[in-house]
Amino acid sequence: MSTASFRAAFPYQDDVLALPVSNVQEAAAWYCQNFGMQEIERGSKPNPFVILERDGVRIGFAENGGDPTQDGAAVLVAGIAEVRDELESRGLNLSDWRVDEYEGKQLKVFFVTAPDGLCYYFHEPVDSTP
């Protein structure tokens, strides 16, 4: 059984539930197919938007005029190697592995840039137990 799961998502800019895209329909289809998400809400006010979810973690997209190349989300995951394998198996272009330090903890990370220009920082704390 897979241990790969999303644990939390944090926006680079203002709102992880309103990441800017030019077309919410296309965004929803791409993220459901490639990130394994499911649509849970869709609306049109104040702008067209869609909210997707995976493992209880919600990420939303809105046609709000923002620049997707300047936004994205940091996605905390469990089983980062499995998450990476899953995304790679879907043909996504992933960055190389790297280790970052944040608040005194080491994080194993990789990046994915979606076709809409949004960038995702997938990360998991490095286990420090022997």
Side-chain angles (χ1 to χ4, degrees), residues 42-66:
R42 183 182 291 254
S44 59
K45 297 192 187 307
N47 302 301
F49 72 91
V50 63
I51 307 290
L52 306 179
E53 182 177 84
R54 175 175 169 169
D55 306 316
V57 175
R58 293 179 178 193
I59 300 176
F61 306 91
E63 294 175 24
N64 56 21

Side-chain angles (χ1 to χ4, degrees), residues 3-126:
T3 59
S5 63
F6 287 20
R7 297 291 187 192
F10 310 94
Y12 294 156
Q13 301 290 330
D14 299 321
D15 188 354
V16 78
L17 295 180
L19 297 176
V21 295
S22 60
N23 183 304
V24 294
Q25 182 67 31
E26 289 174 9
W30 192 88
Y31 288 98
C32 288
Q33 177 181 346
N34 292 289
F35 280 16
M37 304 188 85
Q38 295 183 327
E39 185 174 324
I40 59 165
E41 186 179 346
R42 183 182 291 254
S44 59
K45 297 192 187 307
N47 302 301
F49 72 91
V50 63
I51 307 290
L52 306 179
E53 182 177 84
R54 175 175 169 169
D55 306 316
V57 175
R58 293 179 178 193
I59 300 176
F61 306 91
E63 294 175 24
N64 56 21
D67 181 355
T69 66
Q70 300 301 310
D71 212 341
V75 182
L76 174 65
V77 299
I80 194 164
E82 289 183 66
V83 170
R84 183 182 170 87
D85 289 347
E86 176 188 320
L87 298 178
E88 206 166 37
S89 76
R90 294 184 174 130
L92 301 186
N93 186 17
L94 312 177
S95 73
D96 291 335
W97 286 110
R98 81 177 196 205
V99 175
D100 287 352
E101 191 165 314
Y102 180 72
E103 295 183 347
K105 294 182 180 178
Q106 287 191 322
L107 305 173
K108 190 168 189 179
V109 308
F110 68 90
F111 293 87
V112 175
T113 302
D116 52 32
L118 292 167
C119 181
Y120 295 88
Y121 174 88
F122 286 90
H123 65 287
E124 179 179 46
V126 174

